[in-house]
Amino acid sequence: MKLESLQAAEKKLLLNTYERNPYLFTGGKGVYLHDEKGEEYLDLLSGIGCSALGYGHSALEDAIIAQTKKLIHTSNLFFHEHTAELALRLTEISGLDRVFFCNSGTEAWEAAMKLARAHSERLRAEGKHLGTKFIALEHSFHGRTMGSVSTTHKAKYREPFAPLIPTVEFIPFNDVAALRATFSDDVCAILIETIQGEGGIHPVSREFFAAARELCDSTGALLIADEIQCGVGRTGKWFAYQHYGILPDVTTLAKPVAGGVPMGAMLCNEEAAKAFHPGMHGTTFGGNPLACAAGIAVIDTIKRDGILDHVTEVGAHFITRLKELANSHDAIREVRGLGLMIGLELNDATLAGDIARELMERRIIINRTSDTVLRFLPPYILEKEHVDIAVDALDELLTLHATQASPVLAGDTSHG
Ligand code: PLP
C-alpha cells in the first residue's frame, strides 16, 4: 500500500470533497498513530475529536470484537440488548430523559431541529402560539446536511446549496441584546454550540446561555445545545453545559461517544420527547448493536479510570503551557479552551497554516480552524509529557518564524 498509488486512485474514484494531508496511517497505540513506514505521530486531534480513548485501547477493542462475533446489526425494527443500557448511561450523565440514536453529528442535529418543529406544532395543537423560526449564532457549525447547514453560519458551507431552510436567523455570538431583540413566540428553538469548535474554540458566555434559558422558559421554545464536539467528557465534565449549571431541553452528541465507531445521539427532556411518535423520525443503522457496545465501553472506561479528572488536569497543564508560550511570542493572539478542547489563535492565517503543516512534518498532528486558530482535540488519555513535546515544538517553530520575519524579509511577499 503506497501513499502515491492511493492518492492517484482516490483522485480518480472519489468525489472531490476533501483535501487530505499526504499521510497514510495504518495503525496506532495510545496517543500515537503510525504510518505505513512505521513512523509514529503524536495525535493531538483524535480524528477531529472522536478517538477519545486513543488507539488500541483494550476495553474498546474487546467490546467491539465480542459484539462483532455476536451480532453487528439488527435494524430498529427489533430490540437488541445494548440500546437501553447505553441510553441509561447517557441519561444519567446528561441529566436529560430520553435518547434518539443515529450515526453522526449532523444526523443528531437534524433530529433536534425536527424535534423543535414537532414540539412547536404540538404546542400549537394545544392552543398555544409557538412559531417555526430558529435563532442560530454567527460562526456556528452544526453539520453539512440540508437542515444542519441551514443553521451553520459560514457562507462557503451554505451558499452553494441555496435555497436553504428559510426560517433561520443568525445573531452575533454572545450578544444578549440581539438575542432579546430577535426572540419572540415565533421562535421554536434557540440553537447554541456550548463551545464553538469550527468557529475557533469560543465558549458561549454564561450571561448569554442564561438569557437563552430564560427566554425559552418564557414561551416553551426549546433550548438546544450542540455538544457534538465539546460533549462526552471533552472539557472535563460529561457535557460542557454542566460548567454553566444550565440544563438545555435538548442536546446532541456524536464524535467521541463510541470512540471512533460512527454514532450520534439526540437527548431531550420528557416534555420535548412528547412531540415524536412512531414513524415521525428514524434511521436504519442508528444505535445498532456494534455502535452501542462501543459506546458503553467508552462511557464505562471514562468512569472507571477517572478520565474526566484526568482531562481537567492535563487540559489545565496544556492551557497553562500555551499561555506561557503566548508571553514569549507576539505571534500568539489568544489561548482559549476548556479541558482538552483548546484553541491557540495566531495573528496571521499564513503563519497558522505554516505552523500546522510544520508540526505535521515533525509528526505532531493538529489542525487549523477559522484560518488563524490552531486546534487541539487530543485523545482524553493524553499525558502531560505529550503536552510538553507539542508545546516545545510549537515554541521552536514560532521562534524560527519570528527570526525569519526579520526586517530584511519583511517585504518579501512569499512570506506574506
Ligand atoms: N456540530 C458540531 C459542533 C460539530 O463540530 C460537527 C462536526 O465537526 C457537527 C455538528 C457535524 O458532525 P458530523 O461531521 O459527525 O456530521
Side-chain angles (χ1 to χ4, degrees):
M1 225 183 335
K2 273 271 172 30
L3 177 60
E4 294 74 29
S5 61
L6 286 174
Q7 282 173 314
E10 288 201 2
K11 195 162 185 219
K12 203 169 141 206
L13 296 168
L14 298 191
L15 261 84
N16 190 18
T17 53
Y18 301 112
E19 281 178 302
R20 299 195 205 284
N21 291 295
Y23 297 89
L24 168 59
F25 295 120
T26 53
K29 190 76 203 154
V31 296
Y32 286 90
L33 280 168
H34 63 77
D35 67 14
E36 85 282 19
K37 296 180 198 113
E39 299 281 12
E40 289 199 324
Y41 295 70
L42 175 58
D43 182 11
L44 300 183
L45 192 58
S46 66
I48 325 185
C50 299
S51 307
L53 301 182
Y55 304 98
H57 194 289
S58 59
L60 180 58
E61 281 190 356
D62 291 350
I64 291 171
I65 291 165
Q67 190 58 43
T68 302
K69 288 188 170 165
K70 275 165 81 178
L71 184 64
I72 291 177
H73 180 72
T74 54
S75 89
N76 284 303
L77 295 177
F78 306 103
F79 290 88
H80 71 75
E81 58 189 336
H82 296 314
T83 314
E85 267 186 274
L86 180 57
L88 178 63
R89 284 162 173 76
L90 293 177
T91 55
E92 281 172 353
I93 63 176
S94 67
L96 292 168
D97 302 315
R98 287 178 184 263
V99 182
F100 173 81
F101 287 113
C102 52
N103 312 286
S104 67
T106 198
E107 270 184 83
W109 194 247
E110 293 286 338
M113 289 181 70
K114 285 176 77 176
L115 187 75
R117 284 287 181 79
H119 170 76
S120 75
E121 165 76 22
R122 185 178 74 81
L123 292 194
R124 281 197 298 281
E126 288 176 4
K128 295 183 189 138
H129 180 79
L130 202 62
T132 55
K133 194 167 130 183
F134 294 101
I135 295 182
L137 302 190
E138 289 180 3
H139 312 298
S140 58
F141 183 90
H142 296 296
R144 308 285 199 142
T145 49
M146 240 14 192
S148 300
V149 90
S150 301
T151 60
T152 288
H153 183 241
K154 213 177 255 179
K156 74 169 184 185
Y157 296 143
R158 302 158 46 77
E159 283 173 358
F161 308 106
L164 302 173
I165 292 180
T167 57
V168 181
E169 187 160 350
F170 290 97
I171 60 167
F173 186 64
N174 280 341
D175 187 334
V176 177
L179 177 66
R180 291 193 185 280
T182 311
F183 190 83
S184 71
D185 60 6
D186 284 338
V187 171
C188 67
I190 300 176
L191 312 176
I192 288 176
E193 245 178 294
T194 317
I195 302 177
Q196 289 189 338
E198 294 288 319
I201 317 291
H202 290 282
V204 73
S205 73
R206 189 172 294 277
E207 198 195 354
F208 188 90
F209 207 163
R213 180 67 279 172
E214 175 212 312
L215 291 168
C216 286
D217 286 343
S218 72
T219 62
L222 298 181
L223 176 58
I224 306 184
D226 183 341
E227 296 251 347
I228 288 162
Q229 194 166 135
C230 61
V232 200
R234 168 65 56 200
T235 66
K237 289 196 186 283
W238 284 111
F239 290 89
Y241 58 74
Q242 291 162 344
H243 291 279
Y244 299 77
I246 293 172
L247 188 63
D249 301 298
V250 180
T251 195
T252 52
L253 56 94
K255 291 178 181 287
V257 68
V261 175
M263 168 169 259
M266 188 259 306
L267 277 57
C268 66
N269 60 26
E270 207 57 75
E271 176 64 14
K274 287 179 189 158
F276 272 180
H277 302 295
M280 280 176 76
H281 193 56
T283 151
T284 301
F285 285 119
N288 86 1
L290 183 64
C292 283
I296 291 166
V298 168
I299 307 261
D300 288 354
T301 303
I302 293 175
K303 281 186 186 163
R304 189 196 61 214
D305 294 352
I307 288 179
L308 293 183
D309 288 343
H310 179 80
V311 166
T312 303
E313 193 184 325
V314 177
H317 176 71
F318 208 152
I319 290 171
T320 303
R321 288 249 23 219
L322 290 176
K323 285 190 170 162
E324 284 165 11
L325 202 64
N327 289 335
S328 49
H329 290 282
D330 292 341
I332 298 177
R333 186 180 290 164
E334 198 176 19
V335 180
R336 296 184 291 270
L338 206 51
L340 288 173
M341 180 171 186
I342 301 171
L344 180 74
E345 179 155 16
L346 303 186
N347 286 324
D348 181 81
T350 310
L351 178 65
D354 287 348
I355 299 280
R357 197 192 59 253
E358 287 159 11
L359 280 172
M360 277 297 306
E361 285 162 10
R362 290 178 176 221
R363 301 204 292 273
I364 297 173
I365 305 172
I366 66 154
N367 106 313
R368 178 174 65 130
T369 185
S370 287
D371 296 334
T372 51
V373 181
L374 302 179
R375 176 171 52 169
F376 305 94
L377 297 170
Y380 300 175
I381 57 167
L382 192 79
E383 297 289 347
K384 289 180 186 167
E385 72 204 53
H386 304 124
V387 171
D388 294 342
I389 292 170
V391 177
D392 290 348
L394 264 168
D395 193 11
E396 268 180 52
L397 288 173
L398 287 167
T399 306
L400 218 60
H401 277 270
T403 329
Q404 281 168 0
S406 64
V408 181
L409 288 173
D412 181 343
T413 50
S414 67
H415 288 262

